[in-house]
Amino acid sequence: MSSNNSTSTSNSGSKTPSSSKKPSSSKKKSTAKTPPKKSLPPSISLNTGSHPSLNESVPNITEDEYASLDDLMAQFCKVPLLAEFSRPVSLLHPELIPLYSKVVTQPIDLGKVCRAIRRRQYTNTRQVCVDTWRIFANCVKYHTHPLTKEGAIPSFVSIANHLRDYFNALWMEYMIPSEVSSSGKDPIAVAMRNADEKRRAVRIERYNALVTTLLSAKCVENAANSIEKFVEMGGRVDRLDVDEIVNINGDEECDTAISAVFEALSLMAARLRRIAPSEVEYPVEALGSDLKRCIGDEVFEGMPWLRVKLDKRLDRLLGKIIAPINEATCRGVNQSSVWGCMAAAIWARETTKRPYWPAIVLGILAPEDQKEDWHRFLTDRNEARLPVKLLQGLQAGKKKAMQALNKQNEGKAERMSFFLVEFLGTHEFIWVREADIIENFDPEENPNDSGKNGKKKKNGFRGQNQSNSRLLQKAIDEGRWAVEEFELQLNDPCGDQLEEYSDDEEENYTFSVLCESDDEADEADGGMGDSNDIGDMNSFGSPTGKLTNVEEINELLATDGVLDYSTAGKKTAKRRAIALKKQQVEAKKLALKKAKEEKAKKELELKNKTKAVALAEAKKAAKISKAKKAAKENKESTHKQKAQEKETKREEKELEKRRKKRERERMLREKYRATKKQKVDGNSIIRRGRKLGIADKRGRAATIVRGYLHRLAASTDLKGLGLSGVLTVPAASVESTGLLGMALAFRAAAGELEMPNNNDNSSSFKPWENIDVDGPKSAEERCRNLEKKIKMIERAIHTLDNNDSRRKQLIKEAQEEYAQRYAAIQQAEKDARQNNMPKRKQVIKKKDKQSDEKIEAIEDQDKSKINIDS
């Protein structure tokens, strides 16, 4: 491949002559033909960030959110890259302050943020994000500003962007709940949905990048602890997940499915604890598949909503576990000028006419049959860390490499890969062919040595030649250090060893250390702000200081902390600021319009209400007048009617009084006549001082039957009568067809009688049998149990004796009462069988001549009527 298929670009964005001819000529042609039309600027979307803009109010931070924020910062501060961000620049590098203060007008450091969090000085979560983003935005601003071109360090830009992305990844997992509402049009709901959508996209990309990454023993143990905590909290990742999954609807089927999932998760945690100390390889892919396996489709058949809920919870749990691992794998090497993530250290050359030079691989373009997912992740990650001008200069070389790959796929060229390399020492970037590299970089062997073939030494570009031994030695040393650092990263993919090394140092930058009081740092850069100052439309209030650059804060909120200082980025930010101001003005106009409409509506309502009140009062007055007139007329008619009714009632009362008097006199006369005829004593009639027996036949018959039954019960079996249940005969012998059997059946069915229950008998329970006197090993405990058993038996015997004496007393009283009643029944029967009443003499009534004459007269009248009718 000729040199035209590759391009070299330095970190300042300059190009070689071979790579700059075609673009310039193409530009001239395009400008000569037709002048460029002014295109309309693209529309700016205002609701794209994870937090609403300063125009909108946000809720206050809760204690649960502060607890999650503490966990987030504790994890974030484990990164070994925070030394330059931990304290104010004025204290770390006072020599930079004259220039730094011109570029960064509102400085801030991570220590201030951590102390404000620990002191609970933040009002809402938006303030925390803005202050943290400002730390990294100030770093990017300083190292990309034209005034600091000579002293700028491009790797600091990459580190700041890396830390910002890591903070955002942790924020999405720690500060956003597992379930985000899909409804609601208010700015807070829209921001939460934006954060959730970004979180899902980041999770997919992160998981695909870490599929083959092996988990360390510490990470496996951390995963087991997280799963056990998830089960203990009833399916909540942390306190931001408000509701537990257990007993979510009181449905037995749901509870069974959830119990099965929790049991599977507990078994998985136990298995992870066995894997942690062993040498078993356990990649991230295995962790994700094992978690998904715990909530199989067969467990939640017919309950898709529950499956979705658990999926979201476990996705967040997995995200909190692997987010720090992804950060560790994305760290660059210090030998790269842009802190790039290297794939290997190699010897590379620009073309076959140039010598080999130490380099590191930062990107790979491979044919389809050799392509792997991590190639794309590595290339995209490192291209994002390149300055804009440098990236634009490399696009031509990348485009040629892509064209060559297309030809290879069509079978028109030899199959080979292309690599984005950074030459060490000179720190220039270029896309090279696979044929122009030598893998397995060895600093002791220089492939350019011409001792064997006697060829002339080849000159490189921009000082890369064999005569410049100092620059070559510097490049070789950087290659050696890059290999050592890369091997450390390969041996520690989860970053555990580096964390332990940082913890062993006397000075570290953990969250607990950064939270310690530091008066010197608090007073630097204008001191701390007022925690009660929440700002207004023209400023942003924060515990770390009041900010007046509202446009920059809104840009941070719209882009989740990304400030693009390029020309296009500044234009976009300006358009967004104009759109926000326009939105603010429109919101004010809308509010004023709404207030006017509300005021006019209230005035109209008041006017209508006044009219309605006047009309109602007039109607009320007319109604009252009419009612008074009707009441007067009604009163007069009622008075007349009452007088008539009163007179009628008086007459009726007099008639009723006379009638009752006559009735009472008649009853007294009849009673007197009956009393005079006979006297009655109980059921017997006494006439002329002699007892004549029971007065009514029914009572007499009942008394005789009662005596008969008692004699029969004392001498014979009453089974046939069905009365044996009453006479203390077993209930089983009661005939169902008998009178008593049917009565008992009806009363039992009606619930008036309780069925016998042997379990209710207290004598069947023997509590002393539950005391174990043989099981205990010590003699003292067996003796103590035996004494307890003896006391319980003695109390039971005493109770039985008391009950027995009481029962005998009651039986004796019952027998005496029975004897008395039986004697009374016998006497009553005897009295009933006696009939002392004398025989009635037959009285022959004498005929009354008068009555006979009357009867004959009536018969004659009847006969005459019959004759007339006929």
Side-chain angles (χ1 to χ4, degrees):
M1 183 178 291
S2 64
S3 61
N4 291 334
N5 292 333
S6 62
T7 181
S8 63
T9 311
S10 67
N11 55 0
S12 61
S14 60
K15 304 176 183 178
T16 58
S18 61
S19 64
S20 60
K21 286 181 180 179
K22 278 191 175 182
S24 61
S25 62
S26 61
K27 283 183 180 179
K28 287 181 180 179
K29 289 180 182 179
S30 61
T31 53
K33 287 182 179 180
T34 56
K37 296 181 180 180
K38 290 185 178 180
S39 59
L40 295 174
S43 59
I44 297 296
S45 179
L46 299 179
N47 301 321
T48 58
S50 302
H51 295 271
S53 64
L54 296 182
N55 298 344
E56 310 294 341
S57 59
V58 293
N60 292 339
I61 188 171
T62 63
E63 192 57 39
D64 290 342
E65 289 176 329
Y66 258 128
S68 296
L69 190 57
D70 288 339
D71 296 338
L72 183 153
M73 296 305 295
Q75 182 64 48
F76 178 74
C77 292
K78 292 180 181 180
V79 180
L81 303 168
L82 304 178
E84 295 296 328
F85 304 96
S86 60
R87 302 193 76 201
V89 176
S90 59
L91 299 180
L92 293 175
H93 303 287
E95 69 280 0
L96 298 178
I97 287 303
L99 183 59
Y100 187 83
S101 59
K102 293 180 180 179
V103 177
V104 179
T105 57
Q106 295 174 333
I108 189 174
D109 60 274
L110 186 61
K112 279 187 178 180
V113 176
C114 291
R115 286 190 292 274
I117 291 173
R118 179 56 59 88
R119 296 167 184 168
R120 301 296 191 253
Q121 292 179 330
Y122 282 106
T123 307
N124 51 66
T125 56
R126 182 172 63 185
Q127 291 177 336
V128 182
C129 275
V130 169
D131 280 352
T132 308
W133 289 335
R134 284 173 50 219
I135 298 171
F136 311 121
N138 287 346
C139 178
V140 174
K141 185 176 183 180
Y142 178 79
H143 290 283
T144 57
H145 199 274
L147 293 177
T148 62
K149 188 174 182 179
E150 295 182 359
I153 304 175
S155 61
F156 273 22
V157 177
S158 300
I159 292 173
N161 291 332
H162 171 77
L163 292 174
R164 181 202 62 223
D165 293 341
Y166 180 45
F167 174 80
N168 288 343
L170 291 179
W171 185 273
M172 292 177 185
E173 302 298 347
Y174 279 83
M175 300 302 295
I176 307 297
S178 301
E179 295 92 20
V180 175
S181 175
S182 58
S183 60
K185 296 182 180 181
D186 58 286
I188 297 175
V190 173
M192 290 293 285
R193 286 199 295 273
N194 293 340
D196 190 43
E197 291 174 3
K198 293 176 183 178
R199 178 170 63 179
R200 287 199 297 269
V202 169
R203 282 174 179 170
I204 294 172
E205 183 177 357
R206 180 171 59 208
Y207 185 77
N208 292 334
L210 296 175
V211 163
T212 58
T213 303
L214 298 178
L215 297 177
S216 63
K218 187 175 180 181
C219 287
V220 174
E221 189 71 24
N222 181 33
N225 294 334
S226 300
I227 293 172
E228 288 178 351
K229 182 182 177 183
F230 179 79
V231 175
E232 289 174 1
M233 295 184 69
R236 295 192 300 165
V237 180
D238 49 35
R239 288 189 290 180
L240 293 187
D241 293 335
V242 180
D243 58 330
E244 297 182 359
I245 293 182
V246 294
N247 297 325
I248 198 165
N249 279 334
D251 189 353
E252 185 177 354
E253 188 176 357
C254 291
D255 292 343
T256 303
I258 292 168
S259 299
V261 172
F262 284 177
E263 183 178 358
L265 289 172
S266 300
L267 293 174
M268 178 182 173
R271 185 163 61 87
L272 291 179
R273 292 198 183 279
R274 293 193 298 271
I275 292 175
S278 66
E279 296 181 357
V280 177
E281 292 183 350
Y282 194 71
V284 171
E285 183 181 18
L287 177 62
S289 60
D290 287 348
L291 284 174
K292 294 296 182 185
R293 199 176 295 115
C294 292
I295 51 172
D297 294 332
E298 64 279 358
V299 179
F300 296 101
E301 187 176 356
M303 295 177 287
W305 60 271
L306 189 55
R307 170 66 188 268
V308 171
K309 194 177 187 71
L310 267 172
D311 270 337
K312 290 181 178 181
R313 297 279 176 99
L314 291 180
D315 284 345
R316 183 162 172 248
L317 177 69
L318 180 64
K320 292 179 75 171
I321 295 173
I322 67 175
I325 302 172
N326 183 64
E327 183 276 328
T329 59
C330 292
R331 293 174 190 169
V333 291
N334 294 323
Q335 285 69 36
S336 172
S337 62
V338 294
W339 201 63
C341 300
M342 63 178 286
I346 58 173
W347 290 91
R349 61 185 179 184
E350 183 184 5
T351 63
T352 55
K353 297 180 180 180
R354 301 300 177 103
Y356 288 101
W357 195 265
I360 56 176
V361 177
L362 301 182
I364 301 174
L365 292 176
E368 290 295 333
D369 57 343
Q370 301 176 10
K371 187 181 296 184
E372 296 183 19
D373 290 337
W374 67 271
H375 293 167
R376 180 175 61 84
F377 297 138
L378 178 73
T379 305
D380 293 345
R381 187 183 305 145
N382 286 323
E383 284 184 343
R385 294 179 180 180
L386 295 173
V388 178
K389 291 183 180 180
L390 182 58
L391 182 62
Q392 291 174 351
L394 291 170
Q395 291 304 311
K398 185 177 181 180
K399 184 177 180 180
K400 292 178 182 178
M402 295 289 290
Q403 293 173 352
L405 288 175
N406 292 333
K407 290 181 180 180
Q408 293 177 20
N409 294 331
E410 295 172 358
K412 297 180 181 179
E414 181 184 357
R415 302 187 73 79
M416 66 174 63
S417 301
F418 292 84
F419 301 91
L420 174 62
V421 299
E422 178 183 0
F423 289 110
L424 299 177
T426 60
H427 297 293
E428 296 174 324
F429 298 81
I430 190 175
W431 282 95
V432 298
R433 302 177 304 163
E434 186 177 0
D436 291 328
I437 67 169
I438 298 176
E439 299 181 7
N440 300 324
F441 171 77
D442 187 356
E444 305 299 333
E445 295 183 6
N446 189 345
N448 298 308
D449 289 341
S450 57
K452 295 180 181 180
N453 51 22
K455 292 183 180 180
K456 189 176 180 180
K457 297 178 181 179
K458 302 175 182 179
N459 293 328
F461 61 90
R462 295 190 181 280
Q464 291 181 202
N465 54 63
Q466 294 293 319
S467 60
N468 194 346
S469 58
R470 183 178 298 178
L471 183 61
L472 176 63
Q473 187 60 43
K474 178 184 177 183
I476 293 174
D477 291 340
E478 288 183 357
R480 182 186 295 110
W481 297 333
V483 170
E484 292 176 357
E485 189 173 354
F486 184 58
E487 288 178 352
L488 287 176
Q489 292 180 356
L490 290 178
N491 295 329
D492 184 23
C494 301
D496 299 335
Q497 298 176 5
L498 195 56
E499 287 180 10
E500 294 175 358
Y501 174 75
S502 300
D503 293 340
D504 294 337
E505 291 183 347
E506 293 182 1
E507 184 179 0
N508 56 43
Y509 302 98
T510 60
F511 180 56
S512 58
V513 172
L514 292 176
C515 287
E516 294 177 357
S517 298
D518 190 346
D519 296 337
E520 186 181 14
D522 288 342
E523 294 174 1
D525 300 330
M528 299 287 285
D530 186 3
S531 59
N532 295 323
D533 187 4
I534 60 173
D536 50 30
M537 303 303 293
N538 300 317
S539 64
F540 175 75
S542 171
T544 58
K546 193 170 184 178
L547 308 177
T548 56
N549 193 348
V550 176
E551 295 180 359
E552 185 175 296
I553 303 302
N554 281 327
E555 184 68 15
L556 287 172
L557 293 170
T559 59
D560 287 345
V562 179
L563 288 183
D564 189 356
Y565 292 104
S566 62
T567 304
K570 290 179 180 179
K571 289 181 179 179
T572 303
K574 189 174 182 179
R575 287 200 302 272
R576 183 176 284 109
I578 293 172
L580 281 172
K581 286 184 178 179
K582 186 177 179 181
Q583 184 189 48
Q584 183 179 351
V585 171
E586 290 177 354
K588 285 183 177 180
K589 288 181 179 179
L590 185 63
L592 289 174
K593 184 179 179 182
K594 192 174 180 181
K596 287 181 179 179
E597 291 176 354
E598 194 70 24
K599 186 178 179 181
K601 186 178 178 182
K602 286 182 178 180
E603 290 177 354
L604 183 61
E605 287 179 354
L606 183 60
K607 189 177 180 181
N608 293 335
K609 190 176 180 181
T610 306
K611 288 182 178 179
V613 169
L615 185 61
E617 288 179 353
K619 288 182 179 180
K620 187 177 180 181
K623 190 176 180 181
I624 290 172
S625 176
K626 188 176 180 181
K628 284 182 178 180
K629 186 177 180 181
K632 187 177 180 181
E633 294 175 354
N634 190 22
K635 188 176 180 181
E636 292 176 355
S637 63
T638 304
H639 183 68
K640 292 178 181 179
Q641 187 178 358
K642 283 184 178 181
Q644 293 176 359
E645 289 178 355
K646 189 175 181 181
E647 184 65 25
T648 305
K649 285 182 179 179
R650 188 184 64 77
E651 292 176 356
E652 290 177 353
K653 192 173 181 182
E654 288 293 332
L655 292 173
E656 183 69 18
K657 188 175 180 181
R658 288 197 294 270
R659 187 189 65 78
K660 286 183 178 180
K661 185 177 180 181
R662 289 195 301 270
E663 184 70 21
R664 188 165 55 252
E665 289 175 353
R666 184 184 64 77
M667 289 177 66
L668 288 173
R669 284 195 301 272
E670 288 179 358
K671 188 175 180 182
Y672 176 73
R673 285 197 297 269
T675 306
K676 191 175 180 182
K677 288 180 181 180
Q678 63 183 15
K679 291 182 179 179
V680 180
D681 180 15
N683 288 330
S684 300
I685 300 173
I686 299 174
R687 181 180 290 172
R688 296 176 183 176
R690 189 174 60 159
K691 190 173 183 181
L692 300 180
I694 297 175
D696 57 333
K697 293 182 179 181
R698 183 175 180 180
R700 187 162 159 259
T703 304
I704 294 171
V705 171
R706 192 180 297 113
Y708 168 74
L709 289 177
H710 275 75
R711 287 198 311 278
L712 193 63
S715 59
T716 61
D717 186 12
L718 299 181
K719 185 176 180 180
L721 294 175
L723 302 172
S724 56
V726 178
L727 301 176
T728 67
V729 179
S733 61
V734 177
E735 289 187 3
S736 60
T737 58
L739 181 60
L740 182 60
M742 287 189 290
L744 291 175
F746 278 112
R747 293 190 68 191
E752 295 180 359
L753 296 178
E754 293 184 359
M755 299 301 293
N757 185 3
N758 294 331
N759 295 330
D760 294 340
N761 189 3
S762 59
S763 62
S764 63
F765 298 103
K766 298 177 181 179
W768 55 83
E769 292 181 355
N770 296 329
I771 299 176
D772 187 9
V773 297
D774 299 326
K777 295 182 179 181
S778 63
E780 183 181 356
E781 189 174 356
R782 290 198 299 272
C783 290
R784 188 164 54 250
N785 290 348
L786 187 58
E787 289 175 358
K788 186 176 180 181
K789 188 172 184 180
I790 290 170
K791 289 181 180 179
M792 293 180 71
I793 294 173
E794 288 177 350
R795 284 197 298 269
I797 292 171
H798 181 67
T799 303
L800 288 175
D801 290 342
N802 292 339
N803 293 341
D804 192 26
S805 60
R806 176 63 178 163
R807 183 164 52 254
K808 288 178 180 180
Q809 183 181 356
L810 292 175
I811 290 172
K812 185 178 178 181
E813 293 175 357
Q815 288 174 348
E816 291 175 357
E817 186 177 355
Y818 173 76
Q820 293 175 1
R821 292 194 178 189
Y822 186 67
I825 291 171
Q826 285 180 334
Q827 184 63 37
E829 183 188 5
K830 184 179 178 181
D831 294 341
R833 287 182 181 276
Q834 292 179 358
N835 190 5
N836 298 327
M837 296 182 67
K839 292 182 179 180
R840 294 182 180 180
K841 292 180 181 182
Q842 190 173 3
V843 179
I844 300 174
K845 293 183 179 180
K846 294 180 180 181
K847 291 184 178 180
D848 191 354
K849 292 181 179 182
Q850 254 181 351
S851 61
D852 290 342
E853 291 176 356
K854 289 180 180 179
I855 291 170
E856 289 176 0
I858 292 169
E859 289 176 354
D860 292 338
Q861 289 177 2
D862 293 337
K863 287 177 181 180
S864 62
K865 286 181 180 179
I866 291 170
N867 292 330
I868 293 168
D869 293 334
S870 61

